[in-house]
Amino acid sequence: MTIRVAINGYGRIGQSVLRALYESPHRERISIVAINELSDLDTIAYLTRYDTTHGRFPLPIAIRDGQSIEIDGDLIKVYRREGLDNLPWAREKIDVVFECTGVYSSRSDAEAHISSGAQRVLFSHPAHADVDKTIVYGVNHTSLEAGDRIVSNASCTTNAIVPVIDALDTCFGIEAGTLTTIHSAMNDQPTIDAYHHTDLRRTRSAMQNMVPVDTALAKGVERLLPSMRGKLSAVAMRVPTVNVSALDMTVSIRGRTDAKMVNEALKEAARTRYEGVLAFTEEPLASSDFNHTLPSGTIDGSQTRVSGDQLVKVLTWFDNEWAFANRMLDVTNFWHALQET
Ligand SMILES: NC(=O)c1ccc[n+]([C@@H]2O[C@H](COP(=O)([O-])OP(=O)(O)OC[C@H]3O[C@@H](n4cnc5c(N)ncnc54)[C@H](OP(=O)(O)O)[C@@H]3O)[C@@H](O)[C@H]2O)c1
């Protein structure tokens, strides 16, 4: 049976999820049938057709009846409704709402979608702790149950780093560590300085600055890996690139090791337990080489360092848009299959 999806908030992640679906085998089971976004239909069609980061859409896109876009024969109804009351999810028979506005994070927000007729809600970001599950695909998606209704897909950063931390902890035992996210610019930053956000740093030009921003990554990791509770801290820096981010992680370990052993352990994790979500490379690559790539994280083995045989540094690249968008589809596909068994 087809899974009927609505996207609430058709920005970078909403658009990436739709594009990803048309390049994914999940298209056989998942259909995006509705979009709710504050912008107008022409602009929505235009930004689906042309994308500075991911290129032109490979299939024809047309506007139909002044209220839908048609992609390769699929009609997607477009709504322009602000707020969560009165969304047309019953009429559209929505199985899953992808909540991608970045504005709503609570269980009661998700329940509003369900009251409007949706069966389930998947947040495209870390939600409040009282949601049914926070899932990092490849790590804990098998903990999903048919009765779960409100789920978070965690963050792009959590998806990238949790498999790496888990692999290192399993092999060497992590005692403590720091995580530095080096993240591409996002739409919550202005192009040049502007009044914009309650966070003063986010008033500053995304094009001209590296901007430290708040991050809840350490808490996000703890939620997925309780063994890391109290052991990690994190900072984040936005940088003037449009997509692809990196995570610079330094951990102290209980055992003793060297860079070769660390790389062997991570390569093995990417080949076995985390196949498909974690990759490993030692090629001399730069960030744009990871644009439009599928793994949640790719370890750059050429940058692995060990100091005094207990302090380990690992660099992980990730496409913060594309990989995450594909994980939204992976989680939905797995979750929905549980309803059918
Ligand atoms: N971008 C990434 O790399 C990334 C990766 C993983 C997770 N995420 C998370 O995903 C969420 C969305 O991020 P994004 O980068 O896609 O942001 P974005 O580009 O700003 O997209 C959000 C979209 O939602 C629309 N919107 C806001 N309020 C709405 C409402 N009430 N109803 C309908 N549409 C509404 C916005 O319209 P206006 O612009 O008109 O307000 C905008 O088009 C955030 O929580 C973010 O942390 C982002």
Side-chain angles (χ1 to χ4, degrees):
M1 212 174 65
T2 305
I3 310 166
R4 292 173 67 84
V5 169
I7 297 175
N8 196 46
Y10 192 62
R12 291 309 304 160
I13 287 303
Q15 292 159 24
S16 297
V17 171
L18 184 137
R19 281 179 160 256
L21 181 62
Y22 283 86
E23 291 186 26
S24 158
H26 293 317
R27 194 181 162 199
E28 281 180 17
R29 282 176 47 85
I30 299 176
S31 287
I32 294 170
V33 297
I35 289 170
N36 182 50
E37 161 61 46
L38 305 180
S39 188
D40 60 278
L41 184 59
D42 285 342
T43 311
I44 286 168
Y46 174 82
L47 281 179
T48 306
R49 224 175 259 131
Y50 304 109
D51 187 305
T52 311
T53 301
H54 299 288
R56 286 186 187 217
F57 201 91
L59 299 166
I61 293 173
I63 293 180
R64 294 280 177 245
D65 308 326
Q67 54 180 1
S68 301
I69 56 175
E70 184 179 338
I71 304 178
D72 201 29
D74 299 338
L75 268 191
I76 303 170
K77 193 86 173 278
V78 177
Y79 295 90
R80 193 180 191 178
R81 298 191 184 171
E82 194 163 3
L84 296 176
D85 304 328
N86 202 22
L87 287 164
W89 303 152
R91 186 187 325 145
E92 298 293 347
K93 298 187 177 58
I94 298 303
D95 293 305
V96 189
V97 172
F98 288 175
E99 176 41 66
C100 301
T101 63
V103 174
Y104 304 112
S105 302
S106 71
R107 187 171 185 92
S108 61
D109 294 334
E111 280 166 352
H113 283 301
I114 290 171
S115 299
S116 294
Q119 297 298 310
R120 292 180 291 286
V121 177
L122 181 63
F123 283 103
S124 74
H125 49 270
H128 294 184
D130 59 356
V131 296
D132 292 330
K133 301 263 163 63
T134 297
I135 297 296
V136 167
Y137 189 80
V139 173
N140 70 335
H141 66 276
T142 55
S143 70
L144 278 166
E145 293 166 297
D148 292 333
R149 318 268 329 256
I150 300 170
V151 168
S152 159
N153 200 47
S155 68
C156 51
T157 336
T158 320
N159 273 270
I161 205 64
V162 164
V164 184
I165 294 174
D166 186 45
L168 286 180
D169 193 41
T170 303
C171 289
F172 305 108
I174 291 178
E175 297 213 298
T178 60
L179 310 169
T180 303
T181 305
I182 306 157
H183 199 290
S184 287
M186 289 175 68
N187 277 333
D188 59 357
Q189 298 172 264
T191 312
I192 54 174
D193 287 0
Y195 296 111
H196 190 261
H197 204 275
T198 48
D199 177 353
L200 289 179
R201 284 204 176 103
R202 282 189 218 199
T203 62
R204 307 303 299 281
S205 162
M207 279 195 321
Q208 293 165 279
N209 292 291
M210 292 186 272
V211 185
V213 291
D214 293 338
T215 176
L217 179 59
K219 285 248 165 312
V221 172
E222 283 178 10
R223 202 179 280 183
L224 272 301
L225 299 175
S227 63
M228 287 298 112
R229 196 155 291 149
K231 292 184 176 179
L232 302 175
S233 61
V235 293
M237 182 85 81
R238 295 278 180 83
V239 295
T241 52
V242 291
N243 188 35
V244 179
S245 301
L247 246 152
D248 175 342
M249 177 173 75
T250 304
V251 292
S252 59
I253 56 159
R254 274 195 290 283
R256 298 188 175 275
T257 191
D258 57 30
K260 189 161 179 280
M261 282 168 68
V262 170
N263 277 347
E264 283 309 317
L266 292 174
K267 216 184 290 182
E268 181 66 7
R271 205 180 55 77
T272 54
R273 167 137 201 238
Y274 291 121
E275 188 190 6
V277 293
L278 186 62
F280 183 95
T281 183
E282 287 178 288
E283 282 191 85
L285 302 178
S287 63
S288 61
D289 298 315
F290 297 91
N291 190 50
H292 212 77
T293 55
L294 284 170
S296 304
T298 300
I299 292 151
D300 186 336
S302 73
Q303 300 303 298
T304 302
R305 302 285 184 272
V306 176
S307 314
D309 59 38
Q310 283 188 306
L311 197 61
V312 177
K313 180 183 274 296
V314 173
L315 186 74
T316 306
W317 298 102
F318 58 105
D319 183 325
N320 42 281
E321 292 184 350
W322 196 251
F324 185 82
N326 275 281
R327 294 305 87 78
M328 294 278 291
L329 299 173
D330 291 337
V331 166
T332 301
N333 188 53
F334 183 86
W335 190 12
H336 198 79
L338 299 172
Q339 325 296 315
E340 294 171 350
T341 52

